[in-house]
Amino acid sequence: MEIKIDFLNEADIIEKYDETKISSDLLEYLIKKAQQLDKIKIVINNKCQSKIPYKKMLKQAFLEEYQNAINTHNKNNHLQILFLLLGSFAIFMSFQIKNEVWQEIFLIGGWVPIWEMVELELFNDVRGKKRKKALIKLINSEIITS
């Protein structure tokens, strides 16, 4: 499937404050489209006749964004381990304390990080996996100028 892009001016291609990077709006648009398609071919209509090496910049942006997605996934994994340890420790402490009020506080307080760990797994990791799949499709896509 094709993703068609029209570059009307150079502001459509490059980031406003860093001319060495592809526009974040363009990158997010491509990722969103790639999530909906199987095999991708990017067709660019360079109406502004820009001399910017956007093909190379796009491939580089896809690789950088993929690496960012991997780093985010690793960070989430570390947070999940931390939340599991904190939650387990608090629940363990709730069984060691004799005061019923503090038992309940530690028990409830222990479940909060455990549920946060579950939320990270169910929502952030699923979104991250979809994003990484789309980025792999974009990395392997063909970029054509029409």
Side-chain angles (χ1 to χ4, degrees):
M1 298 296 288
E2 290 183 352
I3 300 176
K4 295 182 181 180
I5 303 171
D6 292 326
F7 291 152
L8 302 176
N9 56 49
E10 289 190 350
D12 294 339
I13 305 169
I14 57 175
E15 193 64 43
K16 182 178 180 179
Y17 298 109
D18 188 355
E19 293 181 355
T20 63
K21 302 224 182 252
I22 286 291
S23 165
S24 57
D25 291 338
L26 173 61
L27 187 60
E28 290 304 317
Y29 171 77
L30 289 169
I31 292 169
K32 184 178 176 183
K33 285 291 192 181
Q35 289 175 343
Q36 301 166 0
L37 303 172
D38 290 327
K39 193 167 181 173
I40 300 169
K41 183 191 318 184
I42 301 171
V43 179
I44 298 173
N45 186 2
N46 188 2
K47 292 182 178 182
C48 66
Q49 301 302 318
S50 174
K51 302 294 183 209
I52 295 173
Y54 51 82
K55 288 182 183 181
K56 181 181 176 186
M57 290 173 71
L58 276 171
K59 289 291 185 176
Q60 183 63 34
F62 298 152
L63 290 169
E64 287 175 7
E65 196 62 30
Y66 183 74
Q67 188 59 48
N68 287 342
I70 290 173
N71 291 342
T72 300
H73 178 74
N74 290 339
K75 179 183 154 197
N76 284 345
N77 285 346
H78 288 104
L79 279 173
Q80 287 173 316
I81 291 169
L82 178 65
F83 287 145
L84 177 65
L85 292 174
L86 287 173
S88 299
F89 178 73
I91 291 171
F92 173 77
M93 289 303 295
S94 74
F95 292 114
Q96 303 304 316
I97 296 173
K98 302 294 183 220
N99 185 323
E100 287 183 29
V101 173
W102 283 105
Q103 274 183 333
E104 288 299 315
I105 290 172
F106 272 92
L107 184 62
I108 293 168
W111 280 108
V112 171
I114 289 176
W115 279 112
E116 186 65 29
M117 175 196 74
V118 171
E119 180 186 355
L120 276 173
E121 182 63 33
L122 291 178
F123 299 109
N124 290 355
D125 278 357
V126 169
R127 272 186 248 122
K129 287 176 187 175
K130 287 180 183 178
R131 189 172 181 87
K132 285 190 287 189
K133 279 184 178 180
L135 285 163
I136 288 172
K137 290 180 212 174
L138 289 168
I139 290 168
N140 295 324
S141 67
E142 181 182 5
I143 301 175
I144 299 170
T145 303
S146 63

